[in-house]
């Protein structure tokens, strides 16, 4: 990896800040307060597994239930592309409040009855849909934070989603004022100007297994654009943060907010299963 790409890793630190530190005038993207992430796993023992049939059933449920559920602000689904587990299937839902997370399940049940009024047919449909997945799954809840880059238009094809999971270091000599200033400076100089990044969504841990976790999702047109994104970041890094003593001090300041440990994941975002 190029030295400048290593510097980009540090620049990403500008984007990290616990959700609880934001002031009231820094609203979450589009009024979204929480994002739930469910990691399911394909049922590898299903003998009659046909992806086309699953996709048809999933799309039917999505259109009849998820799209009509007013408590779900946004929803999306992702296939494994390059991760440590090829059985992974990710479902993401966005909510305006904690209360709505508690309400959407009941509303789903109501919409299911409306969509499939015959109980036997409804149970058969849902059982078939569930049969594509193994029993185990995991859930995390994140809080979207400012700094997102939204799609300029609704995509008509699947996209590559590059996910980066970093971890906060919580330095004793850190301040929220310093962190906010550095974060917004880096976001404006790099993320918002990179034409290869079609969308970008930063999130911090809200409820789950690791309070240090910070999750960033970059949406790209293709796998080849991943390298283009990094190359463009190199250029923007040099333009926005030339090599001088002031920027060296900034680099040192923002690095202290991280452990230096991160994970990288590539998923395929399913465009026609997105709300």
């Amino acid at each position: 990896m190029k030295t400048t790409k290593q510097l980009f890793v540090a620049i990403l630190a500008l984007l990290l800040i616990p959700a609880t530190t934001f002031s009231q005038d820094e609203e979450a993207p589009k009024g979204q307060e929480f994002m739930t992430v469910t990691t399911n796993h394909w049922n590898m023992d299903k003998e009659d597994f046909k992806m086309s049939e699953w996709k048809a059933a999933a799309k039917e449920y999505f259109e009849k239930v998820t799209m009509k559920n007013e408590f779900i602000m946004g929803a999306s689904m992702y296939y494994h592309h390059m991760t440590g587990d090829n059985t992974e299937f990710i479902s993401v839902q966005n909510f305006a409040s904690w209360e709505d997370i508690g309400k959407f399940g009941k509303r789903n049940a109501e919409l299911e009855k409306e969509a499939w009024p015959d109980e036997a047919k409804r149970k058969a449909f849902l059982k078939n849909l569930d049969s594509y997945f193994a029993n185990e799954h995991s859930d995390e809840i994140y809080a979207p934070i400012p700094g997102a880059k939204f799609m300029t238009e609704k995509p008509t094809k699947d996209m590559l989603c590059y996910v980066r999971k970093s971890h906060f270091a919580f330095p004793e000599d850190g301040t929220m004022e310093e962190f906010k200033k550095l974060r917004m400076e880096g976001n404006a100089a790099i993320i918002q100007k990179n034409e290869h990044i079609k969308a970008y969504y930063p999130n911090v841990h809200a409820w789950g297994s690791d309070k240090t976790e910070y999750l960033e999702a970059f949406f790209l047109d293709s796998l080849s654009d991943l390298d283009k994104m990094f190359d463009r970041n190199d250029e923007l890094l040099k333009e926005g943060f030339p090599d001088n003593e002031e920027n060296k001090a900034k680099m040192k300041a923002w690095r202290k907010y991280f452990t230096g440990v991160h994970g990288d994941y590539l998923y395929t975002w399913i465009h026609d299963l997105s709300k």
Side-chain angles (χ1 to χ4, degrees):
M1 182 176 290
K2 299 178 181 178
T3 300
T4 48
K5 289 185 180 181
Q6 293 174 332
L7 291 177
F8 170 62
V9 171
I11 283 288
L12 286 177
L14 293 171
L15 306 172
L16 308 184
I17 188 165
T20 55
T21 65
F22 288 115
S23 60
Q24 292 182 352
D25 61 340
E26 291 182 291
E27 297 179 356
K30 295 184 179 179
Q32 298 173 7
E33 294 293 336
F34 296 102
M35 178 181 77
T36 63
V37 177
T38 299
T39 301
N40 284 300
H41 298 271
W42 296 114
N43 180 4
M44 307 302 285
D45 295 325
K46 183 175 173 62
E47 295 182 358
D48 57 345
F49 192 111
K50 294 181 180 179
M51 186 62 74
S52 60
E53 292 184 1
W54 168 81
K55 180 72 177 292
K59 192 170 183 179
E60 182 178 357
Y61 185 92
F62 193 84
E63 292 174 349
K64 293 180 177 180
V65 179
T66 305
M67 288 297 293
K68 294 181 178 181
N69 191 324
E70 64 272 24
F71 297 113
I72 301 174
M73 291 189 67
S76 52
M77 298 183 185
Y78 305 81
Y79 298 119
H80 150 91
H81 190 96
M82 289 184 184
T83 69
D85 185 349
N86 71 313
T87 71
E88 279 188 329
F89 182 82
I90 310 297
S91 298
V92 175
Q93 296 186 108
N94 298 89
F95 299 91
S97 68
W98 189 267
E99 290 74 20
D100 285 354
I101 295 179
K103 294 176 181 178
F104 91 95
K106 180 179 179 181
R107 182 59 176 145
N108 272 357
E110 295 172 350
L111 290 167
E112 288 170 3
K113 291 180 180 179
E114 292 177 12
W116 300 278
D118 184 283
E119 183 177 5
K121 292 182 179 179
R122 180 172 67 254
K123 288 184 177 181
F125 177 86
L126 296 175
K127 182 178 180 180
N128 175 63
L129 193 58
D130 288 343
S131 71
Y132 284 89
F133 297 96
N135 291 324
E136 68 271 14
H137 76 275
S138 61
D139 299 290
E140 299 286 340
I141 300 178
Y142 297 91
I145 61 172
K149 181 176 183 179
F150 300 104
M151 298 278 188
T152 56
E153 58 185 22
K154 187 173 182 178
T156 58
K157 63 177 183 178
D158 293 353
M159 298 182 73
L160 183 74
C161 180
Y162 163 53
V163 175
R164 181 183 179 87
K165 293 183 181 180
S166 303
H167 298 272
F168 293 116
F170 303 107
E172 292 184 1
D173 61 341
T175 67
M176 290 305 101
E177 291 76 15
E178 175 186 59
F179 207 71
K180 289 178 181 179
K181 181 179 179 180
L182 293 174
R183 183 184 71 86
M184 293 310 296
E185 186 178 355
N187 184 285
I190 305 256
I191 300 298
Q192 301 299 328
K193 291 184 178 181
N194 191 325
E195 64 274 18
H196 300 293
I197 301 174
K198 301 306 180 182
Y200 167 80
Y201 303 101
N203 302 270
V204 294
H205 164 273
W207 189 272
S209 59
D210 187 351
K211 74 173 184 177
T212 73
E213 194 172 71
Y214 177 78
L215 183 147
E216 299 166 279
F218 300 78
F219 287 77
L220 310 165
D221 281 332
S222 66
L223 183 59
S224 63
D225 282 345
L226 186 63
D227 278 337
K228 293 177 183 177
M229 178 190 76
F230 281 114
D231 289 339
R232 182 59 176 145
N233 283 332
D234 292 343
E235 298 171 355
L236 292 168
L237 173 66
K238 293 175 183 178
E239 293 173 11
F241 302 91
D243 187 11
N244 55 44
E245 292 304 314
E246 180 184 0
N247 287 325
K248 287 180 180 178
K250 288 181 180 179
M251 185 74 73
K252 183 178 180 180
W254 65 57
R255 278 177 174 165
K256 68 185 178 185
Y257 292 97
F258 291 93
T259 65
V261 175
H262 77 273
D264 301 291
Y265 311 83
L266 291 177
Y267 297 97
T268 298
W269 173 73
I270 310 171
H271 80 282
D272 51 352
L273 288 178
S274 177
K275 181 177 181 179

